Amino acid sequence: MKYSEFNLSKNDGGLLPAIVQDATTLKVLMLGYMDEAAFDRTVESGLVTFFSRTRQALWTKGETSGNYLHVRGMFADCDADTLLIQAVPDGPVCHRGTTACFDTPEAEGFVRHLQEVVQERHTGMPEGSYTSHLFRKGVKKIAQKVSEEAAESIIEAVGGDRESYVSEVADLIYHLTVLNEQMGVSLADIEAELKARHQR
């Protein structure tokens, strides 16, 4: 992908709007603008860089706060006049200290955030963590918990207790996320399988 391939004739100031999305949670984080130099630096460095219209200079997001945006993918829209960047943030993206510049519900994409937390527990294995305890017990214990929570979800569904069912399914999804991590399987892997089945 090259900057010259974008159609910027109708964009104000000839700059390329760039929407940044969290590559893990898929939450929309911010909007910035790029000139060709900012685009090229983003590609070369792997860190999202914008053209600051206020300062009339290049600006790598995080150069002051330390909360850099690490590029995982860049995609042009259908008209080739806007860029979508999927990135992994080092910390809060907004200057207010919030996750994003858009105040969308934090619950959006929370299962992906849960996966990230479980991965961190698996790597760090902090003491006192229930997730760490499950990993120490191994795959048989984790699988047993998934089985138990699945059975309890079925019982609540058959009994018609919606509130209890939601609670049990939440337990099931948590333990299944732990089992996925133990097995080296991600949500992206499962989504890819579901997509392949749908296409068949």
Side-chain angles (χ1 to χ4, degrees):
M1 183 186 304
K2 298 180 180 178
Y3 191 81
S4 59
E5 296 173 350
F6 286 91
N7 175 21
L8 305 178
S9 59
K10 62 183 180 180
N11 289 2
D12 184 33
L15 296 174
L16 176 65
I19 300 166
V20 182
Q21 180 186 42
D22 190 307
T24 302
T25 67
L26 303 184
K27 183 178 179 66
V28 176
L29 301 176
M30 67 174 296
L31 168 69
Y33 294 87
M34 292 180 168
D35 62 2
E36 187 167 7
F39 181 90
D40 290 344
R41 182 177 292 183
T42 297
V43 172
E44 292 165 5
S45 69
L47 299 175
V48 177
T49 300
F50 298 111
F51 176 77
S52 171
R53 294 173 295 171
T54 304
R55 292 178 285 173
Q56 291 292 296
L58 295 187
W59 161 57
T60 298
K61 176 65 179 172
E63 62 188 15
T64 301
S65 66
N67 297 329
Y68 293 99
L69 293 167
H70 301 269
V71 177
R72 291 294 179 267
M74 298 172 64
F75 310 90
D77 77 334
C78 57
D79 294 322
D81 60 9
T82 305
L83 179 67
L84 173 67
I85 301 174
Q86 291 188 332
V88 175
D90 282 334
V93 171
C94 186
H95 69 279
R96 301 171 300 172
T98 54
T99 301
C101 296
F102 300 96
D103 294 325
T104 53
E106 291 299 323
E108 181 181 340
F110 184 78
V111 173
R112 290 181 181 273
H113 176 67
L114 173 63
Q115 174 182 257
E116 193 173 38
V117 172
V118 168
Q119 289 170 343
E120 290 172 357
R121 295 290 191 275
H122 196 197
T123 300
M125 296 293 282
E127 292 294 332
S129 163
Y130 174 65
T131 306
S132 299
H133 167 75
L134 288 173
F135 284 128
R136 290 190 181 96
K137 289 292 184 179
V139 66
K140 288 185 178 180
K141 178 63 176 179
I142 301 169
Q144 178 188 340
K145 289 298 297 181
V146 170
S147 176
E148 290 173 2
E149 299 301 344
E152 290 172 8
S153 297
I154 292 168
I155 290 170
E156 298 302 340
V158 172
D161 188 331
R162 184 182 183 279
E163 185 174 346
S164 295
Y165 174 75
V166 168
S167 177
E168 294 301 340
V169 169
D171 287 343
L172 173 60
I173 289 173
Y174 160 74
H175 286 92
L176 187 57
T177 301
V178 175
L179 184 59
N180 285 343
E181 170 66 14
Q182 179 71 28
M183 296 298 296
V185 173
S186 69
L187 285 171
D189 295 326
I190 295 168
E191 287 172 344
E193 174 64 20
L194 290 170
K195 183 178 180 180
R197 292 183 185 183
H198 177 70
Q199 291 173 339
R200 289 197 295 266

